[in-house]
Amino acid sequence: MTYQDNVMRDPRDDLVVRQTAANGEAMAEQSGLFSRPILLQYWIIVLRWKWIILGIIVASLVAGVVVSLLMTPKYTATTRIEISREQKNVTKVEGLDSPQASRDLEFYQTQYSLLSARSLAERVERRLKLSSNIEFFKAFGVNVDRGLFFDRGDGPLTREERATREALAVQLLLKHVEVGPVRNSSLVDVTFTSASPTLSAQIANTWVEQFVQATIDRRFSSTVDARRFLEGRLGELRSRLETSERDLVNYAQQKSIVALGASKDATGRTEVERTLTSVDLEALNDALSKAIADRLAAESRSSAGSSGQVSAEGVTGSSAVSSLRQRRAEVSAEYQKLLVQFEPGYPAARSLAEQIRSLDASIAREESRIRGSRSQEFAEASAREQGLRQQVEALKTRLGRQQRDSIQYNIFQRETDTNRQLYDALLQRYKEIGVTGIGANNIAIVDPAKVPQRPSAPSLPLNLAFALLAGLGLAGLATLGLEQIDEGVRDPGEVTRSLQLPLLGSVPAIQGDAYALINDTKSILWEAYLSIHSNLTFSTDHGVPKAFMVTSTQPAEGKSTTTWALAKVLSRTGQRVVIVDADMRSPTLQDIIGVPNTRGLSNYLAGDDDWKGMLHDTDGQDLKVITAGPRPPSAAELLSGERMRRLVEHLLTMFDQVVIDSPPILGLADAPLLSRAVEGVVFVIEAQNVAVRGLHASLGRLRSVHAHVYGAVLTKLNEKQAGYGYGYGYGYGYGNTDDAGAGKAG
């Protein structure tokens, strides 16, 4: 029964379709058309080293749990503060800084840096006296009595020891304090972490308090230089002001300048307008004007009196004359009444007439006296006018001289005013700087730190997460290292890329008896070798080579299994095939067919020409086997002659194909010698076994003897790890790819 007959009886096995599909798959695989996605390649690597990766991750998680249990609990205390951009100015006095200084973009970044400054840590250390606080150092696991310092007993600390402790305390503070701005706000969280909850809260609160105090100190210290400069300038101006005032007073005394009135110009400088001399001159000039008026009036009255005329105003101006004339008018009225009744000689009338004459005489005397006094008044008025005129002229001369002297006086006055203005301005500024910064602080404590009740660390979930990440990282590094160390061929695509060799096909790793599966035409192993056979038909112009050998780099790579499988496939196609076991050092085929290895190839090479008597039957009538025969002392010497080539020629006269099971290449000369007797070589490679450099060495030895290598067969391929999860034998469900073995025989 031929293979074609078997195909006709089994409608599920369409040999042509399967050969074409397998051939197309192998050719596409060889040409690189099946380019795997990068994620799939990574997944294949993970599957390949899954137990190592899992072990590293589990070990990392266990280490994370152990470390979490052994870690000292840490307590974190947080103080929240508010840092405002603008500061309230209670005194309304402008400082030295620009009002826009607090609106700079780097304002808050500056505040955060100041909160983390070393100077602030030193202030906290001094405030809490941490250098002498043993509990502070114990909270961080630092023993300051031993190890850090020499054993000093119970004596006091030296200056060097105290300085060292202070520096260490500052370092611990800076290492464990954190400044965290609250996003999109002016709030800032200051946290401190230590093994003592009370100490953490105390340091967090003290840290903020010292920051507020340091801000105030910086605000006051910023005016120190200005105050020092102003003090020097005030001393100079005070001396200059005293000198200028002294010169002004001395000059005024020297020149007899007594200023009674002054005014200020537009620049605020004093100008003298009235002096004692000018005031006296004004008064005397007014008196002179009045004296002149009096003299003119007296002169007028005197002139009228000398001509015998007395003005009515002058007369009536005298009270005596007025009373006499009034008396005379009354007496004259009575006299006229008596004359109406009596004669002038009437005694009463004579008495009244006598009174009238007496009154007229008195009036005449009084008028004469008035005229005399008018002349005297004129003389006195003239004398007074003359005296005042002389005094006015003297004051005018003195005022002119004083006006000339007032030019220099005003110069001294302006210098004094200038010095006084400068002194007053600097003195005012000096006083203002003294109170600058007194105002509401722009830093406010929102939430002071409280003693934490629960530890903030260690956090088991967080540590496990870190351990998981570390495990993944270590597993990745380990996998990368193993991938670099493992130079074996891991997938079919590497055969073409790394070895520049055509890929005839790949054989999956199977579980069970490989030779039994080869006999099953529905198994995945049979399908694999059927695909290899299909690709091998394209290796020459006449189809499958007439005589070829199957070899590998080292033993147990599956070359004997491949030899047997290819021979079985060839025999199923109706070809007469013979297998020659040329591995005389480690023969295998006698075990497969179950015959004794008493006579075989070694006998023929040694001189026995009865090669037909060495043929053994198998379960297939078109497949014969020549075993290796007894192990010779030197297989290489037997193969170095021409008898092997002659045997192949004899076999080809009887069989269509001669398949030779060759020994491994490395370390032996058998395979290169055998290659001279065949058309070409089928090179078997075990997946993930032989390093690429060993494969190159083997191929180099074959090419050095001009052997034609048709291609490579990749055996024991784990389909899932290599990314071929679809498997062979579609629709039949034969085989198990979970095992790495390729069969019992090598």
Side-chain angles (χ1 to χ4, degrees):
M1 182 179 60
T2 63
Y3 179 74
Q4 288 85 347
D5 296 334
N6 187 32
V7 171
M8 293 298 293
R9 286 194 300 268
D10 191 351
R12 296 180 302 170
D13 281 347
D14 190 348
L15 178 60
V16 177
V17 174
R18 288 187 290 167
Q19 286 181 336
T20 304
N23 178 52
E25 177 187 337
M27 294 299 292
E29 190 176 85
Q30 175 180 340
S31 61
L33 294 178
F34 292 162
S35 179
R36 298 175 185 165
I38 187 67
L39 293 179
L40 179 58
Q41 297 181 22
Y42 290 153
W43 178 245
I44 294 171
I45 295 175
V46 170
L47 290 179
R48 186 177 300 127
W49 306 105
K50 59 183 177 181
W51 296 114
I52 294 178
I53 295 174
L54 184 61
I56 294 176
I57 292 176
V58 171
S60 299
L61 292 176
V62 172
V65 173
V66 173
V67 170
S68 299
L69 295 178
L70 295 179
M71 288 178 63
T72 302
K74 301 293 183 181
Y75 295 87
T76 300
T78 302
T79 301
R80 175 165 292 185
I81 62 175
E82 179 187 7
I83 303 178
S84 302
R85 282 182 174 271
E86 297 184 358
Q87 176 186 347
K88 298 179 181 179
N89 192 352
V90 175
T91 60
K92 303 300 182 181
V93 178
E94 296 294 335
L96 297 178
D97 295 332
S98 170
Q100 303 297 326
S102 61
R103 296 187 176 92
D104 295 338
L105 296 177
E106 62 273 11
F107 170 76
Y108 279 110
Q109 188 60 42
T110 302
Q111 298 300 314
Y112 304 152
S113 300
L114 291 176
L115 274 169
S116 304
R118 184 179 184 86
S119 58
L120 183 57
E122 292 174 351
R123 291 177 67 105
V124 174
E125 189 277 329
R126 289 193 298 268
R127 178 68 178 84
L128 298 178
K129 299 179 181 179
L130 298 178
S131 60
S132 58
N133 188 349
I134 303 300
E135 297 299 327
F136 170 75
F137 293 101
K138 288 183 178 180
F140 299 100
V142 178
N143 189 351
V144 294
D145 291 330
R146 294 181 181 178
L148 182 63
F149 306 110
F150 56 87
D151 191 3
R152 36 169 292 276
D154 296 332
L157 292 174
T158 63
R159 179 177 300 178
E160 291 77 9
E161 290 176 344
R162 184 173 296 278
T164 305
R165 281 195 178 186
E166 290 176 355
L168 178 60
V170 170
Q171 292 178 3
L172 291 175
L173 288 175
L174 291 175
K175 183 178 180 180
H176 293 86
V177 71
E178 293 184 2
V179 177
V182 179
R183 189 176 181 87
N184 297 327
S185 70
S186 59
L187 301 177
V188 182
D189 289 338
V190 179
T191 62
F192 189 83
T193 304
S194 70
S196 173
T198 304
L199 188 63
S200 297
Q202 183 183 15
I203 292 179
N205 289 327
T206 305
W207 194 279
V208 172
E209 293 171 359
Q210 291 302 312
F211 175 68
V212 174
Q213 187 61 41
T215 303
I216 297 175
D217 293 344
R218 280 194 303 273
R219 193 156 52 240
F220 279 104
S221 63
S222 64
T223 62
V224 170
D225 293 338
R227 290 201 301 269
R228 186 180 298 111
F229 171 76
L230 291 179
E231 287 175 356
R233 291 291 297 160
L234 283 173
E236 296 177 3
L237 288 176
R238 187 185 301 109
S239 177
R240 289 172 54 185
L241 179 59
E242 292 176 355
T243 301
S244 60
E245 288 179 343
R246 188 179 298 108
D247 293 342
L248 178 63
V249 173
N250 292 336
Y251 186 80
Q253 290 179 352
Q254 181 182 356
K255 299 300 182 179
S256 300
I257 299 175
V258 180
L260 298 180
S263 62
K264 294 185 178 181
D265 57 9
T267 61
R269 295 176 179 176
T270 303
E271 295 289 344
V272 177
E273 292 183 349
R274 301 180 63 198
T275 62
L276 182 61
T277 301
S278 63
V279 172
D280 291 344
L281 180 60
E282 290 178 0
L284 288 176
N285 190 47
D286 292 340
L288 177 61
S289 298
K290 185 177 180 181
I292 292 174
D294 292 343
R295 192 261 305 167
L296 291 176
E299 184 179 7
S300 177
R301 289 191 297 271
S302 177
S303 297
S306 62
S307 61
Q309 298 177 355
V310 179
S311 63
E313 180 182 358
V315 174
T316 57
S318 174
S319 59
V321 174
S322 298
S323 62
L324 289 174
R325 285 184 175 181
Q326 183 177 2
R327 179 61 182 165
R328 183 183 180 284
E330 293 175 352
V331 173
S332 178
E334 291 179 358
Y335 179 72
Q336 291 298 329
K337 290 180 179 180
L338 288 177
L339 288 181
V340 173
Q341 296 177 358
F342 301 99
E343 291 292 330
Y346 183 72
R350 287 197 303 271
S351 175
L352 290 173
E354 189 63 28
Q355 289 181 4
I356 292 172
R357 287 191 296 272
S358 176
L359 288 171
D360 289 337
S362 297
I363 291 171
R365 287 194 302 271
E366 187 64 24
E367 289 180 350
S368 177
R369 186 187 63 78
I370 290 173
R371 292 188 187 95
S373 64
R374 297 276 175 81
S375 298
Q376 186 177 358
E377 287 179 0
F378 172 71
E380 291 176 355
S382 296
R384 186 167 58 255
E385 178 187 358
Q386 188 63 29
L388 290 174
R389 193 177 297 277
Q390 291 177 356
Q391 291 181 8
V392 168
E393 292 298 329
L395 284 177
K396 288 172 64 178
T397 302
R398 183 179 175 184
L399 182 61
R401 184 173 62 253
Q402 207 173 67
Q403 287 178 344
R404 289 191 298 271
D405 294 338
S406 65
I407 297 174
Q408 183 63 36
Y409 178 84
N410 288 331
I411 293 174
F412 283 119
Q413 182 67 52
R414 284 193 294 270
E415 182 179 0
T416 301
D417 292 341
T418 301
N419 291 334
R420 182 177 291 109
Q421 290 175 359
L422 290 175
Y423 179 78
D424 292 341
L426 288 181
L427 182 61
Q428 180 64 25
R429 188 56 177 160
Y430 180 78
K431 293 178 180 179
E432 290 176 353
I433 292 177
V435 297
T436 299
I438 299 178
N441 197 3
N442 64 327
I443 302 172
I445 300 177
V446 179
D447 292 324
K450 296 183 178 180
V451 178
Q453 302 299 323
R454 296 181 180 179
S456 58
S459 175
L460 184 58
L462 184 61
N463 288 347
L464 289 179
F466 284 139
L468 179 60
L469 292 177
L472 291 175
L474 292 176
L477 292 176
T479 303
L480 179 62
L482 292 173
E483 283 290 309
Q484 297 299 321
I485 295 173
D486 182 16
E487 295 182 347
V489 177
R490 291 181 288 268
D491 64 80
E494 293 185 14
V495 174
T496 303
R497 293 194 302 268
S498 302
L499 303 178
Q500 303 299 318
L501 192 66
L503 178 65
L504 297 177
S506 58
V507 180
I510 54 91
Q511 182 180 10
D513 189 355
Y515 298 106
L517 291 175
I518 291 174
N519 293 328
D520 185 359
T521 59
K522 301 174 184 178
S523 67
I524 59 174
L525 206 58
W526 174 265
E527 294 288 344
Y529 283 111
L530 181 61
S531 174
I532 296 171
H533 165 264
S534 300
N535 290 329
L536 193 59
T537 58
F538 295 97
S539 60
T540 66
D541 55 358
H542 55 272
V544 179
K546 297 297 182 180
F548 63 92
M549 75 177 192
V550 180
T551 187
S552 63
T553 302
Q554 62 185 15
E557 290 191 65
K559 62 178 180 59
S560 298
T561 305
T562 300
T563 302
W564 176 259
L566 289 177
K568 291 286 288 185
V569 172
L570 287 170
S571 66
R572 294 280 291 181
T573 60
Q575 302 293 320
R576 293 175 297 171
V577 184
V578 61
I579 303 175
V580 180
D581 189 355
D583 190 359
M584 294 177 285
R585 303 174 188 270
S586 180
T588 304
L589 291 180
Q590 74 277 0
D591 296 330
I592 298 176
I593 61 177
V595 297
N597 191 22
T598 57
R599 189 166 177 264
L601 178 62
S602 60
N603 300 100
Y604 178 81
L605 296 177
D608 187 354
D609 293 330
D610 186 13
W611 56 273
K612 293 183 179 180
M614 301 175 187
L615 294 173
H616 296 279
D617 295 329
T618 63
D619 55 356
Q621 60 180 0
D622 293 328
L623 178 61
K624 304 293 183 180
V625 174
I626 297 178
T627 61
R631 180 177 300 179
S634 177
E637 292 182 4
L638 296 178
L639 293 173
S640 60
E642 294 296 325
R643 291 187 63 83
M644 187 66 199
R645 185 192 302 270
R646 193 176 305 122
L647 176 61
V648 172
E649 292 175 355
H650 292 320
L651 292 173
L652 286 177
T653 61
M654 183 177 177
F655 297 96
D656 296 321
Q657 269 88 23
V658 178
V659 182
I660 299 176
D661 183 10
S662 170
I665 299 175
L666 289 184
L668 302 175
D670 300 4
L673 293 174
L674 281 170
S675 65
R676 299 180 304 172
V678 295
E679 292 184 53
V681 179
V682 174
F683 192 65
V684 175
I685 303 172
E686 182 181 353
Q688 305 182 41
N689 185 18
V690 183
V692 175
R693 59 181 179 273
L695 299 176
H696 279 293
S698 299
L699 293 173
R701 292 194 62 188
L702 292 176
R703 288 170 181 147
S704 66
V705 296
H706 306 287
H708 180 63
V709 181
Y710 296 121
V713 175
L714 188 63
T715 62
K716 303 180 184 180
L717 178 65
N718 191 320
E719 300 172 17
K720 291 183 179 179
Q721 294 185 3
Y724 293 89
Y726 53 83
Y728 292 87
Y730 173 76
Y732 304 112
Y734 280 84
N736 189 342
T737 61
D738 294 336
D739 196 277
K744 297 179 180 179

